[in-house]
Amino acid sequence: FFLYTESTMEPTNDGGVVLSLFLMVAAISYALFSCIALYERSAAAAAATASESTTLRLLRKLSGFANLSNSFIHILLTVYMKANESNLSEYWIEERKLGGIEGPVGLVILNLAAAISALLHNKMTVPLYWNAFVAFAGTLIPVVWLRFIKEGMACWPYEIVFIWFWIFAMEMTAVSCSVTHFAIERSGCKEKAM
């Protein structure tokens, strides 16, 4: 599945495989969030007297489940990193220079905290601040998304490319739903959002 460039012997990922991984994440995301939306429609009908509008409940649950999924994928990333501790490929050598599993484990905990706040405590303050920070910091810190775009899609192992696409999809969903929830709540249009 690797193509080699003429100037170096560094493998280059097949664009078709990378696109397929992206489409797999899109399909999984669509299925996951469609199921959550269907569940929420049923639950909202059963609890029609709730003080929170159907739209706000759906946004809160989508944000919470996106954070929960992001926590889960970071667990998978941590397990994959541990499984490749002795791998001497160029990618894993470079990853070990950047640090160990502390970063992904920290992200597991923080995403789980945001998910618990949204799903179990019906509070969106922690998810809003956390998800906005993740979107802002992830964009500006070169070792995160800029590195993925620059070199990740081109030559990282396909499993890692898949994991990073999944992280992106969950982060985008979580921040979009958190900010939309905040905007609707602050606008005073809660009743119109039913």
Side-chain angles (χ1 to χ4, degrees), residues 2-13 90-91 150-156:
F2 290 112
L3 303 172
Y4 290 91
T5 60
E6 290 181 25
S7 60
T8 67
M9 287 305 289
E10 181 178 310
T12 303
N13 284 344
E90 188 177 326
Y91 170 79
K150 183 178 176 184
E151 61 186 69
M153 288 190 284
C155 60
W156 287 358

Side-chain angles (χ1 to χ4, degrees), residues 57-70:
R57 280 173 46 105
L58 178 60
L59 289 168
R60 181 176 50 76
K61 289 196 177 176
L62 288 172
S63 175
F65 278 106
N67 284 121
L68 187 63
S69 295
N70 205 357

Side-chain angles (χ1 to χ4, degrees), residues 19 23 27 42-43 45 57 67 72 86 95 120 127 132 155 159 181:
L19 178 61
L23 293 174
S42 298
R57 280 173 46 105
N67 284 121
F72 175 74
S86 61
E95 282 300 300
L120 300 180
C155 60
E159 298 87 354
H181 185 281

Side-chain angles (χ1 to χ4, degrees), residues 21-22 25 70 73-74 77 80-81 91-92 95 98 104 107 138 141-149 152-153 156-172:
L21 293 171
F22 174 78
V25 168
N70 205 357
I73 199 68
H74 278 90
L77 177 61
Y80 194 65
M81 289 172 73
Y91 170 79
W92 288 108
E95 282 300 300
L98 294 173
L107 292 172
I141 299 173
V143 76
V144 184
W145 291 111
L146 296 176
R147 180 172 170 242
F148 175 69
I149 292 169
M153 288 190 284
W156 287 358
Y158 289 126
E159 298 87 354
I160 297 297
V161 172
F162 178 80
I163 287 171
W164 275 68
F165 276 143
W166 186 255
I167 290 169
F168 177 77
M170 295 305 101
E171 286 179 358
M172 182 60 70

Side-chain angles (χ1 to χ4, degrees), residues 82-101:
K82 292 298 284 176
N84 283 283
E85 280 182 326
S86 61
N87 189 324
L88 297 177
S89 71
E90 188 177 326
Y91 170 79
W92 288 108
I93 291 171
E94 188 63 31
E95 282 300 300
R96 284 189 285 276
K97 287 180 190 174
L98 294 173
I101 62 169

